[in-house]
Amino acid sequence: MESIWKSGVPPFPYTQNTPLPRRAEVAVVGGGMSGILTALFLKERGIDCIVLEAGEVGGGQSGNTTAKITCQHGLRYAALEKKKGASAARVWAECCLGAIDAYEALAEKYRIACDFERLPAMLYTRRQEEKLEEEAAAARRCGIRAELRRRTELPFDILLALSYPAQAQFHPLRFLWGIAKQVKVWAGCRVCEVKGHTLTTEDGEEVEAQKIVWASHYPPENFPGLYFSRLHQSRSYAIALSGAQTLGAMYYGIDEGALSLRSYRDSLILVGGAHRTGIDHAPPFAALRDAAKKYYPGARVTAEWSAQDVMSGDGLPLAGTFSSLTPDRYLATGYSKWGMTGAMLAAQIIASDICGERHPAAPICSPARFGLSELRATAQESAHAVRGLGRRLLHIPAETAEELSPGMAGVVFYKGEKRGAYRDEAGNLHTLRPYCTHLGCELNWNPDTLTWDCPCHGSRFSPDGVPLDTPATSHLSTCCLHTGRNAAQAPNEPSRKDEQP
Ligand code: FES
């Protein structure tokens, strides 16, 4: 099922139908919120900027977000004060509050009917009272009018809630398309190589750009930067309900396994089940449906979808120069589940830098930062990569492809070799080499999204090996495709293109 945002609107109707220009001052790779906002801010400053989007505008994470625009990002401020200091925490709070204002101002300026509305964002806990009290104190020191509450409108008891007033929510695709109309976007234009200042598309077209912005989620370039050693990806799951209570605030539970909730018009959205991409996990949609039945009996599930987030070591975005070795390339990623605020800040930071200005949040979000958190993340990511690569050598499948019933998949023995195999509901067997085309880790099947997911850095592939999420950009090798019944060739699954190059 598509997200509530994607199912409610027709595909983005505006794309350039002229050939790609040979030159541009700035080329942005990725037509999600970060890329489109960056292009807008550059255009408003008189800079010639083009956006190259592999799939559809907003077809990736921007169309699967919960679309909360907040300065409240879970337990943020107490930790930020400890890690980066009181001054940085205060700057961060001011910049995030400014990001909310910026969305509102753009919606007004371009007259975008995107259901933008101000309302409180609430953290809640059922067992960690002290944590929330500590966060409230830190948030107030950062200038946020945070209030503790004992009661909420939620249909279950809480111990304590922390309310931040005047945050915002909206319809992300309606907003994004209103902005995308203002800039030059080539959709369905996959960048497959960047060398120096030259971008080459899948169709062999070349564009020379003075500056290049990677705004395509997980950076697909391994060197320089080595971001694969510091970032991982996480999936989360959402359902929309009709016939449930609508809420006057957005909610985020800080306890393990707690729900996140928001309303959109007369629908209620429940989010949960987050896990590192590519690892075994409990069935998230079943858990969300159970929660819906328990707390909102009589409500009906109208949409189910999932999203993928790039997680940074310290939970803050990476926005700025890609590497000191490539001063004309920029990176926008690592929003760590708070993509709307992160995208706005990243776009502001990068556009400012290109124009020779300094955004106050630039040092906090610098991709070059490397403190204790990044060091810890590097150690953890290296361990994951070693495990993922080790699995390739040491994992011996327990099943054969013949044992897979319809709807089942796994790494199995097939014709004497280790293969990834998926038997679809029609009985067709889809087999491929189950090794990620990024750095070679063994993939795991995700039954909730029907995809092959990489535990190392979070690349994802369709059952037929089409890359869905970076850093991998190449197809998996499909060694063969046949049906269990008549050995006839089955058609390829339609591929979901996303915002990646
Ligand atoms: Fe890096 Fe798969 S995403 S090895």
PDB file of all heavy atoms in Angstrom, residues 11 26-27 52 64 69 81 119 122 142-143 159 192 194 224 249 295 307 314 320 323 349 373 431 437 455 468 483:
ATOM      1  N   PRO A  11       0.590  11.913  -9.390  1.00  0.00           N
ATOM      2  CA  PRO A  11       2.044  12.106  -9.469  1.00  0.00           C
ATOM      3  C   PRO A  11       2.388  13.541  -9.845  1.00  0.00           C
ATOM      4  O   PRO A  11       1.603  14.235 -10.490  1.00  0.00           O
ATOM      5  CB  PRO A  11       2.473  11.144 -10.581  1.00  0.00           C
ATOM      6  CG  PRO A  11       1.371  10.171 -10.697  1.00  0.00           C
ATOM      7  CD  PRO A  11       0.117  10.869 -10.290  1.00  0.00           C
ATOM      8  N   VAL A  26      24.840  25.022 -10.601  1.00  0.00           N
ATOM      9  CA  VAL A  26      24.703  23.998  -9.549  1.00  0.00           C
ATOM     10  C   VAL A  26      23.806  22.877 -10.055  1.00  0.00           C
ATOM     11  O   VAL A  26      22.748  23.141 -10.635  1.00  0.00           O
ATOM     12  CB  VAL A  26      24.093  24.596  -8.258  1.00  0.00           C
ATOM     13  CG1 VAL A  26      23.951  23.518  -7.189  1.00  0.00           C
ATOM     14  CG2 VAL A  26      24.941  25.746  -7.732  1.00  0.00           C
ATOM     15  N   ALA A  27      24.231  21.632  -9.835  1.00  0.00           N
ATOM     16  CA  ALA A  27      23.372  20.469 -10.115  1.00  0.00           C
ATOM     17  C   ALA A  27      23.084  19.780  -8.789  1.00  0.00           C
ATOM     18  O   ALA A  27      24.008  19.447  -8.045  1.00  0.00           O
ATOM     19  CB  ALA A  27      24.069  19.512 -11.071  1.00  0.00           C
ATOM     20  N   LEU A  52      18.287  16.825 -10.691  1.00  0.00           N
ATOM     21  CA  LEU A  52      18.196  15.559 -11.414  1.00  0.00           C
ATOM     22  C   LEU A  52      17.641  14.504 -10.457  1.00  0.00           C
ATOM     23  O   LEU A  52      18.259  14.220  -9.429  1.00  0.00           O
ATOM     24  CB  LEU A  52      19.568  15.137 -11.935  1.00  0.00           C
ATOM     25  CG  LEU A  52      20.338  16.205 -12.718  1.00  0.00           C
ATOM     26  CD1 LEU A  52      21.665  15.688 -13.203  1.00  0.00           C
ATOM     27  CD2 LEU A  52      19.515  16.707 -13.892  1.00  0.00           C
ATOM     28  N   ASN A  64       7.085   9.401   2.246  1.00  0.00           N
ATOM     29  CA  ASN A  64       6.786   8.388   3.261  1.00  0.00           C
ATOM     30  C   ASN A  64       6.984   8.893   4.685  1.00  0.00           C
ATOM     31  O   ASN A  64       6.871   8.128   5.636  1.00  0.00           O
ATOM     32  CB  ASN A  64       7.692   7.165   3.045  1.00  0.00           C
ATOM     33  CG  ASN A  64       7.339   6.425   1.776  1.00  0.00           C
ATOM     34  OD1 ASN A  64       6.162   6.305   1.422  1.00  0.00           O
ATOM     35  ND2 ASN A  64       8.332   5.947   1.058  1.00  0.00           N
ATOM     36  N   ILE A  69       7.075  18.847  11.560  1.00  0.00           N
ATOM     37  CA  ILE A  69       8.140  19.857  11.472  1.00  0.00           C
ATOM     38  C   ILE A  69       8.308  20.419  12.884  1.00  0.00           C
ATOM     39  O   ILE A  69       7.475  21.204  13.348  1.00  0.00           O
ATOM     40  CB  ILE A  69       7.761  20.999  10.509  1.00  0.00           C
ATOM     41  CG1 ILE A  69       7.146  20.454   9.224  1.00  0.00           C
ATOM     42  CG2 ILE A  69       8.989  21.840  10.196  1.00  0.00           C
ATOM     43  CD1 ILE A  69       6.482  21.528   8.378  1.00  0.00           C
ATOM     44  N   GLU A  81      23.432  19.387  24.934  1.00  0.00           N
ATOM     45  CA  GLU A  81      24.213  20.237  25.847  1.00  0.00           C
ATOM     46  C   GLU A  81      25.467  19.506  26.314  1.00  0.00           C
ATOM     47  O   GLU A  81      26.550  20.083  26.377  1.00  0.00           O
ATOM     48  CB  GLU A  81      23.364  20.627  27.062  1.00  0.00           C
ATOM     49  CG  GLU A  81      22.370  21.732  26.784  1.00  0.00           C
ATOM     50  CD  GLU A  81      21.667  22.184  28.059  1.00  0.00           C
ATOM     51  OE1 GLU A  81      21.606  21.391  29.033  1.00  0.00           O
ATOM     52  OE2 GLU A  81      21.166  23.322  28.076  1.00  0.00           O
ATOM     53  N   LEU A 119       0.683  23.255  15.834  1.00  0.00           N
ATOM     54  CA  LEU A 119       0.121  22.587  17.004  1.00  0.00           C
ATOM     55  C   LEU A 119       1.262  22.063  17.871  1.00  0.00           C
ATOM     56  O   LEU A 119       2.415  22.033  17.421  1.00  0.00           O
ATOM     57  CB  LEU A 119      -0.882  21.492  16.618  1.00  0.00           C
ATOM     58  CG  LEU A 119      -0.449  20.203  15.964  1.00  0.00           C
ATOM     59  CD1 LEU A 119      -1.652  19.329  15.675  1.00  0.00           C
ATOM     60  CD2 LEU A 119       0.313  20.437  14.713  1.00  0.00           C
ATOM     61  N   MET A 122       4.422  16.681  21.427  1.00  0.00           N
ATOM     62  CA  MET A 122       4.525  16.155  22.794  1.00  0.00           C
ATOM     63  C   MET A 122       5.410  14.910  22.824  1.00  0.00           C
ATOM     64  O   MET A 122       5.198  13.986  22.043  1.00  0.00           O
ATOM     65  CB  MET A 122       3.147  15.734  23.298  1.00  0.00           C
ATOM     66  CG  MET A 122       2.083  16.797  23.166  1.00  0.00           C
ATOM     67  SD  MET A 122       1.972  17.734  24.674  1.00  0.00           S
ATOM     68  CE  MET A 122       0.505  17.060  25.363  1.00  0.00           C
ATOM     69  N   CYS A 142      17.408  26.280  26.395  1.00  0.00           N
ATOM     70  CA  CYS A 142      17.652  26.576  24.965  1.00  0.00           C
ATOM     71  C   CYS A 142      16.610  27.546  24.410  1.00  0.00           C
ATOM     72  O   CYS A 142      16.573  27.797  23.196  1.00  0.00           O
ATOM     73  CB  CYS A 142      17.629  25.289  24.154  1.00  0.00           C
ATOM     74  SG  CYS A 142      19.030  24.219  24.518  1.00  0.00           S
ATOM     75  N   GLY A 143      15.736  28.033  25.255  1.00  0.00           N
ATOM     76  CA  GLY A 143      14.776  29.048  24.807  1.00  0.00           C
ATOM     77  C   GLY A 143      13.450  28.490  24.324  1.00  0.00           C
ATOM     78  O   GLY A 143      12.640  29.225  23.747  1.00  0.00           O
ATOM     79  N   LEU A 159       2.845   8.575  32.160  1.00  0.00           N
ATOM     80  CA  LEU A 159       3.380   9.047  33.432  1.00  0.00           C
ATOM     81  C   LEU A 159       3.612  10.556  33.350  1.00  0.00           C
ATOM     82  O   LEU A 159       3.265  11.318  34.259  1.00  0.00           O
ATOM     83  CB  LEU A 159       4.711   8.310  33.706  1.00  0.00           C
ATOM     84  CG  LEU A 159       5.309   8.396  35.083  1.00  0.00           C
ATOM     85  CD1 LEU A 159       4.320   7.949  36.147  1.00  0.00           C
ATOM     86  CD2 LEU A 159       6.570   7.524  35.142  1.00  0.00           C
ATOM     87  N   CYS A 192      24.400   8.301 -12.756  1.00  0.00           N
ATOM     88  CA  CYS A 192      25.105   7.060 -12.403  1.00  0.00           C
ATOM     89  C   CYS A 192      26.594   7.282 -12.169  1.00  0.00           C
ATOM     90  O   CYS A 192      27.265   6.381 -11.681  1.00  0.00           O
ATOM     91  CB  CYS A 192      24.847   5.972 -13.441  1.00  0.00           C
ATOM     92  SG  CYS A 192      25.347   6.426 -15.077  1.00  0.00           S
ATOM     93  N   VAL A 194      29.663  10.501 -11.156  1.00  0.00           N
ATOM     94  CA  VAL A 194      30.119  11.886 -11.010  1.00  0.00           C
ATOM     95  C   VAL A 194      31.640  11.849 -10.999  1.00  0.00           C
ATOM     96  O   VAL A 194      32.251  11.167 -10.172  1.00  0.00           O
ATOM     97  CB  VAL A 194      29.595  12.517  -9.703  1.00  0.00           C
ATOM     98  CG1 VAL A 194      30.182  13.912  -9.525  1.00  0.00           C
ATOM     99  CG2 VAL A 194      28.081  12.576  -9.703  1.00  0.00           C
ATOM    100  N   PRO A 224      35.869  10.348  -1.597  1.00  0.00           N
ATOM    101  CA  PRO A 224      36.329  10.477  -0.226  1.00  0.00           C
ATOM    102  C   PRO A 224      35.113  10.533   0.720  1.00  0.00           C
ATOM    103  O   PRO A 224      34.006  10.368   0.262  1.00  0.00           O
ATOM    104  CB  PRO A 224      37.075  11.805  -0.236  1.00  0.00           C
ATOM    105  CG  PRO A 224      36.377  12.596  -1.303  1.00  0.00           C
ATOM    106  CD  PRO A 224      35.896  11.614  -2.323  1.00  0.00           C
ATOM    107  N   ALA A 249      -2.495  17.355  18.898  1.00  0.00           N
ATOM    108  CA  ALA A 249      -1.047  17.514  19.029  1.00  0.00           C
ATOM    109  C   ALA A 249      -0.388  16.343  18.313  1.00  0.00           C
ATOM    110  O   ALA A 249      -1.057  15.368  17.947  1.00  0.00           O
ATOM    111  CB  ALA A 249      -0.636  17.537  20.505  1.00  0.00           C
ATOM    112  N   TYR A 295      -6.505   0.389  21.044  1.00  0.00           N
ATOM    113  CA  TYR A 295      -6.757   1.770  21.465  1.00  0.00           C
ATOM    114  C   TYR A 295      -7.860   2.461  20.663  1.00  0.00           C
ATOM    115  O   TYR A 295      -8.446   3.438  21.126  1.00  0.00           O
ATOM    116  CB  TYR A 295      -5.474   2.598  21.354  1.00  0.00           C
ATOM    117  CG  TYR A 295      -4.365   2.083  22.236  1.00  0.00           C
ATOM    118  CD1 TYR A 295      -3.123   1.759  21.716  1.00  0.00           C
ATOM    119  CD2 TYR A 295      -4.578   1.907  23.610  1.00  0.00           C
ATOM    120  CE1 TYR A 295      -2.106   1.280  22.533  1.00  0.00           C
ATOM    121  CE2 TYR A 295      -3.569   1.426  24.424  1.00  0.00           C
ATOM    122  CZ  TYR A 295      -2.338   1.111  23.881  1.00  0.00           C
ATOM    123  OH  TYR A 295      -1.343   0.630  24.702  1.00  0.00           O
ATOM    124  N   ALA A 307       9.156   3.632   5.864  1.00  0.00           N
ATOM    125  CA  ALA A 307      10.113   4.667   5.459  1.00  0.00           C
ATOM    126  C   ALA A 307      11.500   4.240   5.894  1.00  0.00           C
ATOM    127  O   ALA A 307      11.662   3.364   6.748  1.00  0.00           O
ATOM    128  CB  ALA A 307       9.744   5.998   6.109  1.00  0.00           C
ATOM    129  N   ASP A 314      25.679  11.122  15.826  1.00  0.00           N
ATOM    130  CA  ASP A 314      25.183  11.963  16.919  1.00  0.00           C
ATOM    131  C   ASP A 314      23.726  12.374  16.735  1.00  0.00           C
ATOM    132  O   ASP A 314      23.213  13.200  17.488  1.00  0.00           O
ATOM    133  CB  ASP A 314      26.074  13.205  17.091  1.00  0.00           C
ATOM    134  CG  ASP A 314      26.170  14.044  15.813  1.00  0.00           C
ATOM    135  OD1 ASP A 314      25.407  13.772  14.866  1.00  0.00           O
ATOM    136  OD2 ASP A 314      27.002  14.961  15.771  1.00  0.00           O
ATOM    137  N   GLY A 320      26.660  20.096   4.282  1.00  0.00           N
ATOM    138  CA  GLY A 320      27.787  20.992   4.010  1.00  0.00           C
ATOM    139  C   GLY A 320      28.701  20.377   2.977  1.00  0.00           C
ATOM    140  O   GLY A 320      28.283  19.489   2.211  1.00  0.00           O
ATOM    141  N   SER A 323      33.589  16.843   1.253  1.00  0.00           N
ATOM    142  CA  SER A 323      34.913  16.492   1.770  1.00  0.00           C
ATOM    143  C   SER A 323      35.862  17.624   1.425  1.00  0.00           C
ATOM    144  O   SER A 323      35.656  18.327   0.439  1.00  0.00           O
ATOM    145  CB  SER A 323      35.372  15.180   1.114  1.00  0.00           C
ATOM    146  OG  SER A 323      36.774  15.130   1.051  1.00  0.00           O
ATOM    147  N   ILE A 349      21.684  25.614   4.832  1.00  0.00           N
ATOM    148  CA  ILE A 349      23.139  25.599   5.062  1.00  0.00           C
ATOM    149  C   ILE A 349      23.893  25.540   3.732  1.00  0.00           C
ATOM    150  O   ILE A 349      24.831  26.301   3.480  1.00  0.00           O
ATOM    151  CB  ILE A 349      23.521  24.384   5.953  1.00  0.00           C
ATOM    152  CG1 ILE A 349      23.034  24.608   7.384  1.00  0.00           C
ATOM    153  CG2 ILE A 349      25.017  24.121   5.919  1.00  0.00           C
ATOM    154  CD1 ILE A 349      23.099  23.367   8.271  1.00  0.00           C
ATOM    155  N   SER A 373      30.952  10.702  19.320  1.00  0.00           N
ATOM    156  CA  SER A 373      29.792   9.981  18.769  1.00  0.00           C
ATOM    157  C   SER A 373      30.133   9.365  17.427  1.00  0.00           C
ATOM    158  O   SER A 373      29.743   8.232  17.125  1.00  0.00           O
ATOM    159  CB  SER A 373      28.613  10.932  18.562  1.00  0.00           C
ATOM    160  OG  SER A 373      28.337  11.625  19.724  1.00  0.00           O
ATOM    161  N   THR A 431      15.079 -15.683  -8.298  1.00  0.00           N
ATOM    162  CA  THR A 431      16.358 -15.965  -7.632  1.00  0.00           C
ATOM    163  C   THR A 431      17.425 -14.970  -8.082  1.00  0.00           C
ATOM    164  O   THR A 431      17.373 -14.442  -9.194  1.00  0.00           O
ATOM    165  CB  THR A 431      16.853 -17.394  -7.923  1.00  0.00           C
ATOM    166  OG1 THR A 431      17.235 -17.479  -9.284  1.00  0.00           O
ATOM    167  CG2 THR A 431      15.799 -18.420  -7.602  1.00  0.00           C
ATOM    168  N   THR A 437      25.387  -4.924  -3.894  1.00  0.00           N
ATOM    169  CA  THR A 437      26.304  -4.379  -4.907  1.00  0.00           C
ATOM    170  C   THR A 437      27.054  -3.149  -4.394  1.00  0.00           C
ATOM    171  O   THR A 437      27.802  -2.543  -5.143  1.00  0.00           O
ATOM    172  CB  THR A 437      25.542  -4.026  -6.192  1.00  0.00           C
ATOM    173  OG1 THR A 437      24.455  -3.157  -5.861  1.00  0.00           O
ATOM    174  CG2 THR A 437      25.033  -5.262  -6.887  1.00  0.00           C
ATOM    175  N   PRO A 455      22.153  -5.521   5.720  1.00  0.00           N
ATOM    176  CA  PRO A 455      22.366  -5.169   7.130  1.00  0.00           C
ATOM    177  C   PRO A 455      23.557  -4.235   7.336  1.00  0.00           C
ATOM    178  O   PRO A 455      23.702  -3.662   8.410  1.00  0.00           O
ATOM    179  CB  PRO A 455      22.636  -6.520   7.799  1.00  0.00           C
ATOM    180  CG  PRO A 455      23.199  -7.377   6.711  1.00  0.00           C
ATOM    181  CD  PRO A 455      22.554  -6.904   5.435  1.00  0.00           C
ATOM    182  N   LEU A 468      16.731  -0.029  -4.737  1.00  0.00           N
ATOM    183  CA  LEU A 468      15.672   0.873  -4.284  1.00  0.00           C
ATOM    184  C   LEU A 468      16.201   1.969  -3.372  1.00  0.00           C
ATOM    185  O   LEU A 468      15.645   3.046  -3.313  1.00  0.00           O
ATOM    186  CB  LEU A 468      14.585   0.083  -3.534  1.00  0.00           C
ATOM    187  CG  LEU A 468      13.932  -1.064  -4.288  1.00  0.00           C
ATOM    188  CD1 LEU A 468      12.975  -1.811  -3.377  1.00  0.00           C
ATOM    189  CD2 LEU A 468      13.187  -0.532  -5.508  1.00  0.00           C
ATOM    190  N   THR A 483       9.342 -20.520 -12.934  1.00  0.00           N
ATOM    191  CA  THR A 483       8.240 -20.867 -12.051  1.00  0.00           C
ATOM    192  C   THR A 483       8.443 -22.279 -11.551  1.00  0.00           C
ATOM    193  O   THR A 483       9.061 -23.110 -12.214  1.00  0.00           O
ATOM    194  CB  THR A 483       6.879 -20.812 -12.768  1.00  0.00           C
ATOM    195  OG1 THR A 483       6.848 -21.890 -13.694  1.00  0.00           O
ATOM    196  CG2 THR A 483       6.690 -19.493 -13.466  1.00  0.00           C
TER     197      THR A 483
END
